[in-house]
Amino acid sequence: MRAEYKRDVNHNYLILQNDVSTDTASYPVRMLTGNVIPSVLKCRLQGLDGQELFYYDITSRQSVASFYEQKKFSGEDLEMLLGGFVRVVEDMAEYLLNPEQLLLMPEYMYLDISRKEVKFCCLPGYNRPIQEQFREFTEYCLPKLAHEDAQAVRLGYGVYRKALETGFHLESIKKVLYQDQMKDETEREEEYEAEIEKAEEVEELEDIFQELSQEILEPEEKQQAQKEKNSNWKWIISCGAGVLVLLGILIASLLGYLPGISAEYVMAAMILLVGTGAGATWVSEKKRKKQEASAQWREKVKKELEKQDTVLTKSEEKKPVSVEIEQKKYTGTLSAAEEDYGETVVLSAGITSGPPSLVSREPGELPAIYLEQDLIVVGKMETAADVVLPVSTVSRVHARIRKKQDGFYLADLNSRNGTSVNGRMLKPEEEYLLQDEDQVDFAQARYIFLK
């Protein structure tokens, strides 16, 4: 395959020529040149001197190779690139095109930075296993990961782990890619369900409280209201009786039976008595309302205090065992049984029979590696390795062991400090067939292979 670039007044083109002759009337050529496939660069076919040239419009786009020449891959960058790969494979399947005709090479993958999208070249007549291409692309990404970005490391090594597996499935790539998103959605659903349950519990408690209030407090409130009502009626009756007496005196005075009493004084006394009764009733009603408001406020404060006490009690009950053990360690009161809590127990010590395995040459320091799977990745990163070795000199993804018909093959995964067998350092891409009692070193993690 040959590549060159051409520029005219308004466009830039990548021109590819296949090594083999291409049938221009074939289905892939007609679909590619006659349709706009969302994740594939728009293409046109042009013949020149009996040769078929494919022109890809790359205007306003940059290749992945040039854009990331001096730049590291962040988690967001990997999401864009891997998401683009998932979409292009799905688009190819929708148009009934073979994904093995994709060119998954950084120099033929083009970015539109403003839109944060990536498009790919599809070359009819080019056929190469998609898993092999994807594995090589992930190997290109690993050295360029921004290792301070946890998401970038998780995605990079996670998809590389999937690319090494025998069966290549797009769903496994999607699972790694969208793991955080699915986790966030699950957490949000759990939080929402917890809030609903909490609201239902609060509702139930409020109903119970209302019932209790009606059963216990209502009679007292009725009695208090009845007392206040009776008190108000006493004032009204007393004032009414006084008004009637004064009214009788006024009438007698006007008829001349009480000549020494002035009618004006009697009227003034009547008005004063009515005003006193109305004022006393108003003061009594205001006092009652103030007492009700004060009682409601005290009840509200009491509820809040009870709620806080409940939360504190629950938090104390749910104190993690590890916290208690740390406290005991600090005070020196840790028992022998508690002292072993959380410690790693090496089950490989003393094993003389069982499945093929790699056993630590320093018993008790490192876990045994049981070779029961078709593919095992050894490293330091929990999310990418099947066997985690907590040794500083071991790389995040250090080596792999692949099971084949004739035995187990060990290969180094471009680790920083290398993998050696019987003192000989394995070369990149070399697969070594393990023999019984071979001494295998993952950097400073020393093992022996037992069939």
Side-chain angles (χ1 to χ4, degrees), residues 193-220:
E193 290 175 358
E195 288 178 359
I196 291 177
E197 291 178 359
K198 186 177 179 181
E200 290 176 350
E201 290 177 0
V202 171
E203 233 177 88
E204 290 177 2
L205 290 174
E206 287 179 350
D207 292 341
I208 293 172
F209 178 75
Q210 288 178 0
E211 290 176 2
L212 291 173
S213 299
Q214 290 176 357
E215 292 176 3
I216 300 173
L217 301 177
E218 189 174 352
E220 295 180 2

Side-chain angles (χ1 to χ4, degrees), residues 210-430:
Q210 288 178 0
E211 290 176 2
L212 291 173
S213 299
Q214 290 176 357
E215 292 176 3
I216 300 173
L217 301 177
E218 189 174 352
E220 295 180 2
E221 291 177 354
K222 285 184 177 179
Q223 290 177 6
Q224 184 67 21
Q226 188 65 36
K227 287 180 181 178
E228 293 174 354
K229 187 176 180 182
N230 293 339
S231 176
N232 292 338
W233 275 110
K234 287 179 181 178
W235 276 102
I236 294 172
I237 292 172
S238 298
C239 291
V243 170
L244 290 176
V245 171
L246 291 174
L247 183 60
I249 295 172
L250 178 62
I251 294 172
S253 175
L254 293 174
L255 293 176
Y257 294 107
L258 299 172
I261 299 176
S262 174
E264 288 80 3
Y265 291 123
V266 175
M267 288 289 294
M270 288 177 62
I271 293 172
L272 181 61
L273 185 60
V274 170
T276 303
T281 304
W282 178 78
V283 170
S284 176
E285 184 66 19
K286 187 175 181 181
K287 182 179 178 182
R288 183 182 66 81
K289 289 182 179 179
K290 185 177 180 181
Q291 288 176 347
E292 287 180 356
S294 178
Q296 291 176 357
W297 180 82
R298 285 196 300 272
E299 187 63 34
K300 185 177 179 181
V301 172
K302 184 179 178 183
K303 284 183 180 179
E304 292 294 329
L305 291 174
E306 288 176 353
K307 189 186 295 184
Q308 291 177 8
D309 291 341
T310 303
V311 172
L312 290 173
T313 304
K314 287 183 177 180
S315 63
E316 289 175 358
E317 290 175 355
K318 295 181 179 180
K319 184 190 294 183
V321 177
S322 59
V323 174
E324 295 178 359
I325 290 177
E326 290 299 326
Q327 291 175 351
K328 290 183 178 180
K329 282 183 180 180
Y330 181 76
T331 57
T333 59
L334 189 66
S335 66
E338 290 173 331
E339 190 171 352
D340 292 333
Y341 177 82
E343 296 294 331
T344 302
V345 179
V346 180
L347 301 178
S348 61
I351 291 179
T352 57
S353 63
S357 59
L358 288 164
V359 181
S360 173
R361 279 186 276 170
E362 291 83 15
E365 290 191 6
L366 296 171
I369 303 174
Y370 298 102
L371 307 181
E372 298 177 328
Q373 303 176 15
D374 293 338
L375 176 67
I376 294 177
V377 176
V378 179
K380 190 167 56 179
M381 186 176 181
E382 294 183 1
T383 56
D386 299 302
V387 177
V388 179
L389 301 182
V391 180
S392 60
T393 53
V394 173
S395 298
R396 289 182 175 89
V397 177
H398 195 100
R400 73 164 182 260
I401 304 170
R402 191 189 299 275
K403 182 180 179 181
K404 296 185 180 180
Q405 291 182 351
D406 55 343
F408 296 91
Y409 285 81
L410 172 67
D412 184 73
L413 297 177
N414 298 319
S415 63
R416 180 181 295 274
N417 296 303
T419 304
S420 65
V421 180
N422 300 324
R424 183 180 70 83
M425 196 71 69
L426 296 182
K427 299 176 182 179
E429 302 300 325
E430 177 186 358

